[in-house]
Amino acid sequence: GYYIHSDVFGVAGDFITSPEISQMFGELIAIWFVNEWMMIGAPENVQLVEMGPGRGTMADDMLRAFSKFPELSKALSVHLVEVSVTLSRLQEEKLSATPDQPAPSSKEGELHYKSCLSKYGPCVYWYRDIKDVPAGCNMFVAHEFFDALPIHKFQKTEHGWREVLVDIDPETENKLRFVLARGDTPASKLALKEHGGCALIADYGHHGDKQDTFRGFKDHALHEVLENPGCADLTSDVDFSYLKQHTDGK
Ligand code: SAH
């Protein structure tokens, strides 16, 4: 629920991210994208898929940089994976040429929940789930996305690994607590399917060498994770070695 309620970025929010600090961040990512597109033979249709675009600042800076490459702007469509309706509105305000006007080529039966024509030319489509993004030559970018996804916590006990679960504290009213599961629990598996293309993932992370990094931020300061659920940014460092294992990554 955290991202659903409000704009949590910037000085008035809980944290700030690199794209919000300087437009150069998105421009550099755009240059990476142009290079990759050229390296695969500049295909006539290419999809930029951004996971968790926040305020849409990085997408805006990338699209502006792409306008210097008319061939790419012609080939490109933009696909934003965003669960928060509040943030999708901010993204639309930032990117669209005309407010509340769907993309002209928008076909029935497609799985996007919204679309627009961007002020830079390419059409933009919004999805709740990455599985809804149409198959094609997809080039993914994700900045501070994976660290916002739900995690499982485990603790090694004398009976082996046990999952750490969240429980209602029976001693204090309106308080949550961590408890250890008595037995095994089903741990979910990450599925990142690709249909060709590439992915650039930038995040706080490690190579499988860190332990418990689950923490909360509120008003730019560390915040107890079990307090005020839904009101603080909950994050954990991304295990890049795990992502690589599942994406044949370099
Ligand atoms: N990339 C942006 C925002 C990072 S915050 C930046 O760097 O500034 C995380 C983003 O992921 C938010 O836009 C949030 O709404 C979105 N998000 C979080 N969980 C998601 C999920 N399960 N599916 C899609 N988007 C999600």
Side-chain angles (χ1 to χ4, degrees):
Y2 174 65
Y3 290 100
I4 310 285
H5 296 308
S6 58
D7 179 12
V8 296
F9 306 94
V11 180
D14 293 323
F15 59 91
I16 191 137
T17 57
S18 312
E20 299 296 329
I21 289 174
S22 165
Q23 67 181 60
M24 271 172 64
F25 189 83
E27 288 166 359
L28 288 171
I29 306 286
I31 297 305
W32 167 83
F33 191 98
V34 175
N35 183 55
E36 291 294 321
W37 176 68
M38 285 174 171
M39 298 251 287
I40 55 171
E44 276 174 28
N45 282 302
V46 62
Q47 307 192 147
L48 162 62
V49 185
E50 181 172 3
M51 298 187 256
R55 280 180 172 172
T57 308
M58 188 168 96
D60 189 54
D61 292 333
M62 288 181 77
L63 284 173
R64 193 185 53 256
F66 291 157
S67 53
K68 303 261 186 280
F69 302 87
E71 288 300 308
L72 172 58
S73 289
K74 250 200 294 177
L76 186 75
S77 57
V78 181
H79 304 263
L80 304 178
V81 182
E82 176 58 73
V83 275
S84 165
V85 175
T86 314
L87 288 177
S88 80
R89 278 201 205 105
L90 287 183
Q91 293 152 15
E92 190 179 1
E93 273 166 32
K94 188 160 284 176
L95 298 172
S96 76
T98 327
D100 299 323
Q101 263 206 6
S105 60
S106 192
K107 286 179 237 128
E108 288 292 314
E110 286 181 353
L111 295 169
H112 56 261
Y113 64 86
K114 187 161 81 165
S115 67
C116 77
L117 179 68
S118 74
K119 56 193 181 200
Y120 305 103
C123 294
V124 186
Y125 303 90
W126 278 265
Y127 310 83
R128 280 186 193 90
D129 196 308
I130 193 168
K131 289 197 221 94
D132 299 339
V133 176
C137 179
N138 284 337
M139 309 217 326
F140 295 90
V141 291
H143 185 260
E144 290 213 36
F145 170 73
F146 283 95
D147 78 321
L149 295 184
I151 56 157
H152 290 265
K153 254 168 86 110
F154 297 93
Q155 197 171 311
K156 200 169 193 176
T157 70
E158 52 189 28
H159 310 290
W161 287 98
R162 289 281 183 267
E163 188 163 3
V164 180
L165 303 172
V166 177
D167 184 26
I168 291 168
D169 191 335
E171 323 240 285
T172 325
E173 213 183 314
N174 286 330
K175 200 160 179 268
L176 299 173
R177 62 169 187 174
F178 284 121
V179 288
L180 269 186
R182 283 197 204 98
D184 289 334
T185 50
S188 65
K189 284 193 179 142
L190 181 85
L192 209 170
K193 262 212 168 116
E194 292 183 63
H195 311 271
C198 54
L200 179 63
I201 297 165
D203 227 307
Y204 295 93
H206 56 88
H207 290 279
D209 50 326
K210 278 208 190 162
Q211 295 183 340
D212 185 358
T213 59
F214 184 39
R215 60 199 184 283
F217 286 96
K218 188 160 174 52
D219 302 328
H220 300 266
L222 276 168
H223 183 87
E224 176 55 51
V225 287
L226 297 184
E227 258 162 43
N228 314 101
C231 298
D233 169 41
L234 301 185
T235 180
S236 62
D237 288 357
V238 177
D239 180 354
F240 282 105
S241 61
Y242 186 79
L243 279 181
K244 276 187 208 167
Q245 226 176 298
H246 288 263
T247 57
D248 301 328
K250 283 183 262 168

